[in-house]
Amino acid sequence: WLKDGFAGLLYTLREHHDRTPTEFFRGDVGIIPSEGYDWELDDDAVAIALDRHVEALREQGLAESTIEATRSRLAAYARRFERRNDVSLIESHARETAVETLSRVVARYVSRDAKRHLVKDVRTLYAWLAEEAYHDEHVLAGVGLDDLVEGS
């Protein structure tokens, strides 16, 4: 279950015990989880997957400043995705869902360079989600900034 992103544990805690992983680790196990990055998401499984993705980027040797900027852009996308959709970011979903969400987030950025970085980061996330078998396919494959209605 460690390799699968704690999905079984998260499901059991949420559905059968009405508890978060933090409550479980603090109250039952006696471990205080590190106060890592706060994704500000309701879905713990998505936050864990995003942490795993960021760690994979770190293992590629990216500078910490690049990691922080990427994490910030991914958090903006993940929060918007969570608020606007009935499906979890780590569950397979339609290309249109991802494109619409990305278009809305891109529209909030001012510079074209910042918009390009956002699109690249989110496309990299979706490639990783497909590679890690969260998704059946890379739903943003081939999508660029100019393909986003509100973002170009």
Side-chain angles (χ1 to χ4, degrees):
W1 54 268
L2 283 172
K3 187 175 182 180
D4 292 329
F6 302 98
L9 175 63
L10 294 174
Y11 173 81
T12 301
L13 287 171
R14 183 178 56 246
E15 299 299 322
H16 298 288
H17 301 284
D18 194 30
R19 304 201 58 195
T20 67
T22 301
E23 292 169 337
F24 169 72
F25 284 115
R26 283 188 177 144
D28 297 338
V29 180
I31 297 173
I32 299 174
S34 69
E35 297 298 326
Y37 186 77
D38 184 4
W39 293 96
E40 297 178 34
L41 298 169
D42 293 331
D43 191 336
D44 291 332
V46 171
I48 289 169
L50 289 169
D51 281 336
R52 289 183 61 221
H53 174 63
V54 168
E55 189 56 37
L57 295 174
R58 187 172 277 118
E59 289 172 3
Q60 293 175 11
L62 296 177
E64 196 57 36
S65 60
T66 302
I67 297 288
E68 289 175 20
T70 299
R71 189 171 46 204
S72 176
R73 290 185 289 267
L74 291 176
Y77 178 80
R79 286 190 298 267
R80 173 64 79 145
F81 191 96
E82 183 176 78
R83 283 194 308 268
R84 296 197 50 90
N85 298 292
D86 293 333
V87 64
S88 172
L89 177 62
I90 59 174
E91 296 173 358
S92 290
H93 52 269
R95 180 182 184 94
E96 294 77 27
T97 302
V99 169
E100 178 188 350
T101 303
L102 185 55
S103 291
R104 290 181 180 280
V105 179
V106 162
R108 296 173 47 206
Y109 285 74
V110 177
S111 78
R112 186 160 178 84
D113 194 44
K115 292 177 183 196
R116 271 190 311 98
H117 282 294
L118 171 68
V119 172
K120 177 188 154 293
D121 292 340
V122 174
R123 284 188 58 207
T124 301
L125 171 65
Y126 274 101
W128 181 85
L129 289 169
E131 184 179 296
E132 293 293 313
Y134 284 98
H135 292 191
D136 296 333
E137 62 181 336
H138 178 355
V139 297
L140 287 180
V143 172
L145 181 57
D146 293 332
D147 299 314
L148 303 171
V149 177
E150 295 175 289
S152 48

